[in-house]
Amino acid sequence: MTTSSKPTASSAQPPASVSTEAIAAEVDSLWRLFESRRTVEFGWRQQQLRGVRSFFEENSDRIVAALSDDLGKPPFEAFSSDVGAVCAEVTLLLRHLPKLMRPRKVPTPALNQPATSWVYPEPVGPVLTLPAWNYPFGLAFLPVVGALAAGNPVVLKPSEMTPRSAEVMLDYLTRYVDAEAVKVFEGGPECAEALLEQNFGHIHYTGSAVVGRLVMAAAAKNLTPVTLELGGKNPAYVHASANLEVAARRILWGRMMNAGQVCLSPDYVLVDEAVSSKFLDAIKQAATQFYGRDPQSNPDFARIVNHRHFDRIVSLMDGAGDILVGGETDREARYIAPTVLTNVDDGHAIMHEEIFGPVLPVRTVSGPHEAITFMRGHPSPLAVYVFAHDRATAEHVLADTTSGSAVVNHVFTHAFNPHLPFGGVGDSGMGRYTGLSSFDCFSNMKAVMKTGSFPDISALYPPYTDWKLKLVRRILK
C-alpha cells in the first residue's frame, strides 16, 4: 500500500475551465505587448530569467512537495530534474545572453562583394508551451526560459494530470516575472484545444506522437512553427565487449528513474547472446542494490501518475514474457515494481508501444548486425544507447541507425550537456531546444546583407548580352 508521503494526486478537483473568448483576449494582449517592443529589450529578458530562477530558488521545497504529491518523486530526482536543471539552464542563458542577442557575422562570397552578411536573431512573438506531466516543472520551464531569453511573451499550459504542480505555477510564478507577458492557463484538453486555435509565434509541445500530430495540424492553420518532443521506444544495445556490471546499473537506473516515466529512458535491451546470462545476473543484482527486497517501501522509487496509466502498463505486461525481476503491482498505490522481462515475443505489444513505466524487456541477439536490423525495423527513437568498448562496433551502430540522439556507454547523459541540441526525428519529434539551442529555437534568424551604393555593377542589369552570360558562367562554377 502507498505511504502517507505518496498521496494520490488523482483525488484533486478538476481545474476550472477557461472560455475560448477569454483565452483569445489574453493572447491578443500578448501580441499587443509584443508589438510594443518591451520584450525585445535586454533588460527585460534578463529580468525575466532572474525572476524564473528566484521562483525556483524560493519555492524549491514547495515544488518538491508538489512533485511528491503528483508522482511520488523522491526528493533527489525532483530537485535534480525539475529544479536544478532549470536553474542551471537560466544561469547558462544569462551568461551567454549578450552574445546570443548580437547579430552574427557570416562570410560573404565574392559574387556579392563589396558587402557584409549577418544573421540577426529576432523574437517570433508569443510562444505557447504545452509540457508533459512526467517532469511538470522541467519540461515546462526549459522551453519557457528559452522563449523568454529570445524576447518572447509566453503562454504556459501545465498538464492537468499533475494538479499540485500546476497549482504551484498558477499561484506563484507571476509574482516573479512580468505578469503581462507570462500567462499560465490551468485546464484540461479543452483548454489546450482553445489555445491551439489562437495564433502564436511558436508552439512547443512535449508528449505523445498521437497528440503531436493534432498539435501540428492545429498549428498549420496559422502556419505556426512547432517543436515537437515525442519520445518513442529507445533501444539499448549491449555488446559482448561492454562492461556488463556498469551497463546493467546504468540501464536499470535510466529505466527506473521516475518509475520509468521518462521520454529518454531505455525502453528495451538487446544484448549479445554470448553474454546475456552474465548481463541478466548483473541487472538482478543492481535491482536489489538500488531498491532492496521491498521496492514498494523504498522512498527512492516513484509512482505511476494515475490509474489510467497504471492499467495501460499492466495490460502491456500481460503475457509479455518471463519475469526475471519484480512483476508486483498495487493499483490503489499506483505502484508497479521495477520489472525486468526476458524471452519476450517480438510480436507482443510491449515491443511496439512505448511502455513509459518501470518495465524493461530484454531480448538476446546474435551480434550487432541483428541488433541494428531490429532497431531499423522500428520508428526512429528519441535516443539510441550503445554499450560497447569495441570502438568499431559502437561506430557501426551509430552510423547505421537513426535517432534524435545517441549515447555510448551511458543513458541520457547527453541531456545534461547544454552544448548539445535536444530533440527527436521522425515519430520521435522535430526541432531542437535546451541549452544554447533554445535561444535559436524561439528566434527568427533573419538573414541580412549590407552593401553600399557604389560600385553599381552594370553586369547585373538588362540587356543580358553574351559577355554578361559568359561572366556569370565563369563566376558561378
Side-chain angles (χ1 to χ4, degrees), residues 369-394:
H369 177 74
E370 184 181 352
I372 290 169
T373 301
F374 189 88
M375 287 186 262
R376 290 178 65 89
H378 292 73
S380 300
L382 193 58
V384 167
Y385 304 118
V386 187
F387 288 82
H389 284 292
D390 181 76
R391 182 177 297 180
T393 296

Side-chain angles (χ1 to χ4, degrees), residues 195-210:
L195 284 166
L196 287 168
E197 291 177 7
Q198 313 306 314
N199 182 29
F200 287 95
H202 196 106
I203 296 174
H204 187 286
Y205 167 77
T206 306
S208 71
V210 172

